Amino acid sequence: MDTNEMGAEVIDRDCIEVFVSSSMRDEDTFCWRQLWDELNNALLKSDIFKPFAIEFHASTEPSSSYYLNRLAQSDIVIGIIRSELRPGTSKELHRAILLRKPLILVKLKSDTSPDIESLFRYAREMDACTYVELPSDSDLVPYLMTQLNNVMVDLFHTRRFEIENGSAAVLTDISPVSIPEDVLDAFGASVAMVSKKYNYHADWLERKTDNPYLFFLGEKAVEWLLYGTSFSIAAFKTSILEAMKDSGIPRDTLSLRLDALDASLEGRYSECYECLQLACDSIESKDCWAYGNCLIDKRTVAGLLSEYGFGAQLTIQKKIDALSAPSYIPLALKFEEEVGTAILNASREAKSINPYTTIRHDASLASVMSSITCLLFSSILCGSISGALYSRSLLANSLIDYASIYNRPELELEGIKLLVLQGDAKGFEKRFAYKSDGLRSYLPSCAEELWRLTSLTAQARRPSISAAVIKECAPYFSDDTICDAWSALSAVDDFRQSASRWIKAIDMIKMRVDEKSLVDLLCQIVDQHLYSVASDVSNVFGGMDLDKIDNGLVDQLGRSLKSNSDELLKFNFSAGVFGYVEKCCGYSILSEEQVEHLPAVERGCYSDNKVAACNAETACIDELLRQFDLNNRSDFHSGFSVCPSSLLCRSLDDESSESFSASLARVLEHCLKELPTYQGSPCSAGEAMAVLNKFACRCARDGKALPDGWTDLISELPDEWRVDPVFRDPASMDSCAWSVRCLALKVVAGLARDIEFLTLGIKFETLTAAGQRAFLEVLEQLIVCNAICDQYCDVVSAIISSILLSEDSAVRAALLASIAAGYRKWGSCSFSDLAFQSLHDVSSSVAFKLVRLCKEGKFNDAILEQKLLNELSNDSNWFIRWHVAND
């Protein structure tokens, strides 16, 4: 061997090997081969680095595995990505991150892709490295050489290499703080327990092992996850410590975290918090995920302790934010990402198939449940309280997502049960704010179970979730459960942090509890200011029949309101309710000065509730004009808390005075004149148009002509709004609703035919939500005022029958007024059949609307109304049955 060969051999053995991972295929005009050659030459000229170049090596091993094996033997990895990420490059970089190799990751700035974003996210989550974006490949090689030198300095300072035998510098691998995934194999078949529970199991997802010594721990953990059954970690502590001996987490730290987890499962949160503090103190390096994850648990537990609360949580969160390392369990993040990817893919696939002709057979949900179970087990192995709790939330929301994907509402119900068990009041309320008819149909049968689950929730979360469950489920509670619920609501101190939910729950069961205890509790709420907004309290008072309550109790309520009137008014207690209570108790609650400072409409409602008057109507007419004129600007829109159209339309249903009609007609005429050139949005004109429709139909119903000149003014109204408004209020009128209301006005005025309006009903599904509401409201008015001729009776019936198939229960409830009006006008059995059809609606709002219509005689047929009420008396909803019997 000559001298040069010997020198080459020494250099080759002692140099640090750099593995370069990038695409081999040129992209557009970009040449990877040229970049590789430049980088190889620069590395070969270095005294300490050498490149690994595949073209210099021949092997019988398949190229993909050969690359990965050589990457594992290399000391430093460079990853270069442009606009695409080739599968081979992706595997190499994922392997480098998994092996905790020193990694320099460069993105040449260009278009990105989901694969590239996923890789970068994985790098961040594993705390592997940061990455840099460069605008071009110009000067890339000098930049990489500089970065390699910086890496060596960093490795030296952090003692990531050592000198062996006094000669060569050899990089050594520090044991990463993580969980080897094969540790989960020790849980064996318990990984599949969740998917088996929901009948979505796939054998290939089970963990196979000859010694599933953690199976019983997995079994207990799954029972806790699904049913809230507590268990002792202490019995499995030795096995967990043995399984985690190579995880890199100090044994004493893990032992303390397991003690904390054990205490949390039994609700001993003070002891749990102390163990977590000791665990944090035991971690020497504060720049690792284990320390950050321990802080997350401290933050979670602080929220469950009244002596710490939000202030402590905020302080801990600041410490978490200041950490440079991620705070999540790397292996757990892997399973979480698998869940998100599976749900996204399943959702995309579901959108691309026909749900009516395609039978779905896939293991997507099974894989999601398997990943969530592994997430739970990973969290328990690390003693992570927050991770275990998150597993339940993730399972709940995954079931809810798949309920939509698979069209299986029972899965949504199972998810909701888990939200209750978790104490997630906000998530629970969100589901019921947008609940489907399928979910509604399950509520009567599961209400008692949902209430039982609240007793298994963490004590700190129990008041808020209990109140949320009572609000939704109270109509289906048995008398014994109502007693339990009222006993829970009477524990005032528990609800100070969730006052709004609490008061709404009280409102739901006030009719089923002892009057004295109800009054005592309401007075305590008022006297101690236990509310966020006083309007919640006024809703409870306003719904009480004070005429049937003992005079002493009414007097007690009046005195409580009087002594706290300033505070209540400040927080929007209804002035009308003040007037109602004054009328019942017989003395003044508000002073003259307080009344004088009330807004005009509130002052009118206060006066009308004390004595019969028209103050509220007069104030509403003035308010209608004020709102209309104030918003007659293209650059301005003001929202209002008062909706005068509601009270004015109700007044038009009654026998109103001539002075009221004249005053209202003057304001409406002013609006008609301004509407063709109105500068505001259709939303701003919504209140005026609603009253215009009602007023015009009232004139036609009474056989009166429209006021002079109105027909000409209505003819000048544009059929469509001039421009699509930037400002949109989903609760008010939009351009579609404008067209509906405008056409209805022209039908009443004789400027359009009734069949033109009915055509809108035929294409009802194409209308916006606001347009649909407007159509339903005006349809009933046109029927009542005889603006729709008799020959279209069957057309109206067919339109209503079609709309009754709507998934929106609010639409179906609003439609009942037209059914009653149609039966009253035409007496057709088709309308009575539609009423009987509505008896079987799963929505309680539909049933309640039918009760009100029957009680008010809107069908004008006592026999039919009594038949409907007899059927409704068997409704599963207690409030429906009560109103049938008592109103």
Side-chain angles (χ1 to χ4, degrees):
M1 182 178 296
D2 61 25
T3 305
N4 289 338
E5 288 176 333
M6 290 182 63
E9 181 183 304
V10 172
I11 292 174
D12 188 64
R13 183 188 70 240
D14 293 346
C15 284
I16 295 169
E17 184 171 291
V18 178
F19 186 98
V20 180
S21 179
S22 70
S23 177
M24 298 289 288
R25 184 177 67 185
D26 291 346
E27 299 177 36
D28 299 327
T29 59
F30 182 78
C31 180
W32 282 105
R33 170 58 60 189
Q34 181 180 344
L35 177 61
W36 274 61
D37 290 342
E38 291 179 13
L39 184 55
N40 281 342
N41 291 334
L43 290 169
L44 289 170
K45 291 178 181 178
S46 167
D47 292 330
I48 59 175
F49 299 115
K50 66 175 181 179
F52 165 73
I54 189 67
E55 63 269 21
F56 298 154
H57 302 270
S59 173
T60 59
E61 190 176 358
S63 60
S64 60
S65 61
Y66 182 62
Y67 286 152
L68 295 177
N69 288 335
R70 286 308 302 253
L71 181 145
Q73 298 170 28
S74 298
D75 301 307
I76 300 175
V77 178
I78 294 176
I80 308 173
I81 304 169
R82 202 166 178 272
S83 59
E84 65 177 2
L85 181 63
R86 303 291 296 162
T89 307
S90 177
K91 288 181 181 178
E92 291 166 3
L93 294 177
H94 275 82
R95 177 65 65 86
I97 293 170
L98 186 63
L99 295 175
R100 309 294 291 185
K101 290 289 182 181
L103 174 62
I104 299 173
L105 195 52
V106 177
K107 171 73 170 65
L108 297 180
K109 197 164 187 179
S110 184
D111 296 335
T112 187
S113 68
D115 292 339
I116 296 174
E117 293 299 327
S118 177
L119 172 67
F120 289 162
R121 183 168 61 252
Y122 181 62
R124 291 193 300 268
E125 290 167 350
M126 291 294 287
D127 192 24
C129 66
T130 60
Y131 63 90
V132 66
E133 288 190 358
L134 298 178
S136 70
D137 61 313
S138 177
D139 297 326
L140 176 60
V141 172
Y143 171 82
L144 290 173
M145 295 304 298
T146 301
Q147 292 302 310
L148 284 171
N149 291 326
N150 291 340
V151 168
M152 290 307 302
V153 173
D154 180 61
L155 294 177
F156 177 85
H157 285 306
T158 54
R159 302 181 183 277
R160 295 288 295 271
F161 74 93
E162 58 189 31
I163 306 299
E164 292 186 350
N165 300 324
S167 57
V170 180
L171 292 175
T172 62
D173 185 25
I174 290 180
S175 177
V177 182
S178 62
I179 313 173
E181 189 173 348
D182 57 8
V183 170
L184 296 175
D185 294 342
F187 285 93
S190 62
V191 173
M193 289 182 66
V194 175
S195 56
K196 286 181 178 178
K197 194 270 183 187
Y198 295 107
N199 298 317
Y200 284 92
H201 177 56
D203 291 334
W204 59 272
L205 292 168
E206 289 194 26
R207 296 274 171 164
K208 304 298 182 182
T209 179
D210 296 329
N211 182 25
Y213 63 93
L214 293 178
F215 171 82
F216 294 106
L217 171 60
E219 189 177 49
K220 295 291 185 182
V222 169
E223 289 180 358
W224 170 84
L225 175 76
L226 299 178
Y227 311 112
T229 308
S230 62
F231 67 100
S232 174
I233 290 289
F236 304 98
K237 188 173 179 179
T238 302
S239 297
I240 295 174
L241 292 172
E242 175 64 23
M244 295 290 286
K245 63 183 179 181
D246 296 324
S247 67
I249 302 176
R251 187 180 180 89
D252 58 340
T253 300
L254 181 56
S255 178
L256 287 166
R257 293 200 70 179
L258 292 172
D259 291 342
L261 177 60
D262 194 46
S264 73
L265 291 172
E266 297 182 358
R268 296 179 279 113
Y269 295 112
S270 295
E271 179 184 338
C272 174
Y273 192 83
E274 293 173 2
C275 289
L276 288 172
Q277 183 59 60
L278 293 173
C280 287
D281 295 341
S282 70
I283 302 175
E284 293 183 7
S285 172
K286 308 303 183 186
D287 197 23
C288 64
W289 72 258
Y291 177 72
N293 195 253
C294 199
L295 286 179
I296 288 177
D297 279 357
K298 275 188 67 180
R299 181 194 63 194
T300 298
V301 176
L304 301 175
L305 289 167
S306 57
E307 61 264 36
Y308 293 103
F310 181 74
Q313 287 182 293
L314 183 60
T315 301
I316 297 170
Q317 184 60 49
K318 289 180 179 178
K319 292 182 180 179
I320 296 171
D321 294 339
L323 296 175
S324 58
S327 305
Y328 305 104
I329 305 169
L331 184 58
L333 284 169
K334 169 185 178 295
F335 294 118
E336 181 190 20
E337 185 170 358
E338 287 178 357
V339 171
T341 302
I343 293 175
L344 179 62
N345 290 339
S347 177
R348 287 173 175 171
E349 181 185 346
K351 292 176 181 177
S352 66
I353 64 175
N354 188 328
Y356 303 104
T357 60
T358 305
I359 299 175
R360 294 176 60 85
H361 293 286
D362 63 53
S364 176
L365 182 53
S367 68
V368 163
M369 291 178 177
S370 176
S371 295
I372 291 173
T373 311
C374 290
L375 170 63
L376 170 66
F377 294 166
S378 302
S379 301
I380 289 176
L381 289 175
C382 290
S384 174
I385 299 166
S386 302
L389 289 172
Y390 177 64
S391 301
R392 183 183 286 144
S393 293
L394 188 60
L395 177 59
N397 288 291
S398 297
L399 289 171
I400 290 169
D401 287 337
Y402 273 93
S404 174
I405 295 171
Y406 288 172
N407 193 25
R408 298 286 300 275
E410 69 273 15
L411 289 179
E412 184 174 12
L413 177 61
E414 294 297 330
I416 286 172
K417 290 178 182 177
L418 293 176
L419 292 177
V420 174
L421 191 58
Q422 187 80 335
D424 185 358
K426 185 179 293 186
F428 178 85
E429 289 171 336
K430 180 181 179 181
R431 298 318 311 164
F432 280 91
Y434 304 102
K435 55 191 171 187
S436 64
D437 287 345
L439 179 59
R440 288 173 186 267
S441 65
Y442 287 97
L443 197 55
S445 61
C446 75
E448 299 278 340
E449 183 181 2
L450 291 175
W451 174 250
R452 181 189 63 79
L453 289 173
T454 62
S455 64
L456 301 176
T457 300
Q459 180 59 48
R461 297 177 178 176
R462 196 172 300 165
S464 59
I465 191 62
S466 296
V469 169
I470 291 171
K471 179 179 178 295
E472 293 298 335
C473 301
Y476 307 102
F477 283 166
S478 66
D479 291 341
D480 289 340
T481 303
I482 284 291
C483 290
D484 290 341
W486 182 248
S487 177
L489 293 177
S490 299
V492 175
D493 290 338
D494 290 346
F495 292 92
R496 293 181 183 273
Q497 302 302 318
S498 54
S500 184
R501 290 191 180 100
W502 176 45
I503 295 169
K504 290 174 182 176
I506 292 171
D507 192 29
M508 285 301 298
I509 64 173
K510 65 188 176 190
M511 298 170 67
R512 300 181 70 180
V513 299
D514 173 67
E515 291 174 352
K516 186 178 187 313
S517 62
L518 174 62
V519 170
D520 288 342
L521 183 57
L522 289 175
C523 289
Q524 189 174 1
I525 291 171
V526 171
D527 293 338
Q528 297 183 22
H529 304 163
L530 302 176
Y531 48 80
S532 301
V533 288
S535 57
D536 290 337
V537 187
S538 61
N539 289 337
V540 181
F541 278 78
M544 297 170 66
D545 190 351
L546 298 182
D547 291 329
K548 296 180 180 179
I549 296 179
D550 180 79
N551 290 336
L553 296 177
V554 176
D555 183 67
Q556 181 183 346
L557 285 174
R559 284 186 279 106
S560 179
L561 292 179
K562 184 177 180 68
S563 59
N564 295 279
S565 56
D566 282 336
E567 189 75 14
L568 291 167
L569 288 172
K570 179 180 176 182
F571 287 94
N572 299 319
F573 192 93
S574 170
V577 173
F578 274 123
Y580 171 54
V581 178
E582 281 189 15
K583 179 181 177 182
C584 295
C585 68
Y587 56 81
S588 295
I589 294 177
L590 298 183
S591 66
E592 292 182 4
E593 183 179 1
Q594 286 174 320
V595 173
E596 186 64 29
H597 284 88
L598 289 173
V601 175
E602 282 282 279
R603 187 164 59 248
C605 292
Y606 168 77
S607 301
D608 286 355
N609 274 290
K610 290 187 65 177
V611 294
C614 297
N615 298 311
E617 286 93 337
T618 303
C620 282
I621 292 172
D622 294 339
E623 179 67 12
L624 180 71
L625 177 61
R626 186 181 75 85
Q627 291 184 13
F628 182 84
D629 285 345
L630 187 62
N631 278 324
N632 192 5
R633 291 170 52 183
S634 59
D635 60 340
F636 176 81
H637 176 87
S638 177
F640 302 95
S641 59
V642 177
C643 296
S645 64
S646 179
L647 189 146
L648 292 174
C649 288
R650 286 200 305 271
S651 298
L652 287 169
D653 278 332
D654 302 328
E655 293 299 327
S656 51
S657 66
E658 288 295 330
S659 60
F660 166 76
S661 297
S663 298
L664 181 58
R666 283 195 296 272
V667 170
L668 294 177
E669 185 172 322
H670 167 79
C671 295
L672 273 174
K673 291 177 179 178
E674 296 292 331
L675 279 171
T677 58
Y678 196 70
Q679 297 300 306
S681 69
C683 171
S684 302
E687 291 289 294
M689 283 297 289
V691 182
L692 269 168
N693 283 134
K694 189 72 174 182
F695 188 90
C697 288
R698 165 69 184 271
C699 291
R701 184 197 74 182
D702 294 344
K704 298 179 180 179
L706 292 174
D708 291 341
W710 274 37
T711 301
D712 292 336
L713 292 173
I714 291 173
S715 69
E716 295 175 5
L717 296 178
D719 294 332
E720 296 181 355
W721 199 259
R722 296 170 300 283
V723 292
D724 191 36
V726 176
F727 178 86
R728 295 179 184 274
D729 182 355
S732 186
M733 189 172 72
D734 60 11
S735 52
C736 176
W738 163 267
S739 297
V740 171
R741 291 192 175 279
C742 186
L743 180 57
L745 269 179
K746 292 182 178 181
V747 168
V748 177
L751 300 170
R753 298 173 59 228
D754 47 2
I755 192 61
E756 294 179 55
F757 179 81
L758 293 178
T759 302
L760 296 176
I762 297 172
K763 54 182 182 180
F764 184 80
E765 290 299 324
T766 66
L767 304 179
T768 64
Q772 290 180 353
R773 288 195 301 270
F775 177 84
L776 295 175
E777 181 183 320
V778 178
L779 175 63
E780 186 258 347
Q781 295 171 7
L782 294 178
I783 295 173
V784 169
C785 74
N786 298 314
I788 297 177
C789 63
D790 294 344
Q791 73 182 86
Y792 294 128
C793 167
D794 292 338
V795 175
V796 173
S797 175
I799 288 172
I800 293 175
S801 180
S802 174
I803 298 175
L804 270 179
L805 300 176
S806 170
E807 295 182 358
D808 188 346
S809 58
V811 166
R812 301 195 305 275
L815 197 58
L816 287 172
S818 295
I819 293 175
Y823 183 82
R824 192 166 66 247
K825 175 179 172 63
W826 291 300
S828 171
C829 62
S830 61
F831 290 96
S832 59
D833 289 344
L834 291 171
F836 279 107
Q837 179 183 332
S838 299
L839 285 171
H840 306 290
D841 198 288
V842 296
S843 171
S844 57
S845 62
V846 175
F848 185 73
K849 182 64 177 291
L850 193 54
V851 171
R852 303 308 316 151
L853 291 170
C854 291
K855 288 284 185 174
E856 294 166 4
K858 293 296 185 180
F859 287 88
N860 200 26
D861 184 336
I863 296 176
L864 172 64
E865 288 161 353
Q866 191 56 52
K867 286 181 179 179
L868 292 171
L869 289 172
N870 288 341
E871 292 289 334
L872 289 165
S873 66
N874 298 316
D875 196 281
S876 57
N877 187 313
W878 183 90
F879 288 104
I880 301 300
R881 300 197 307 271
W882 188 92
H883 282 286
V884 168
N886 294 281
D887 279 1

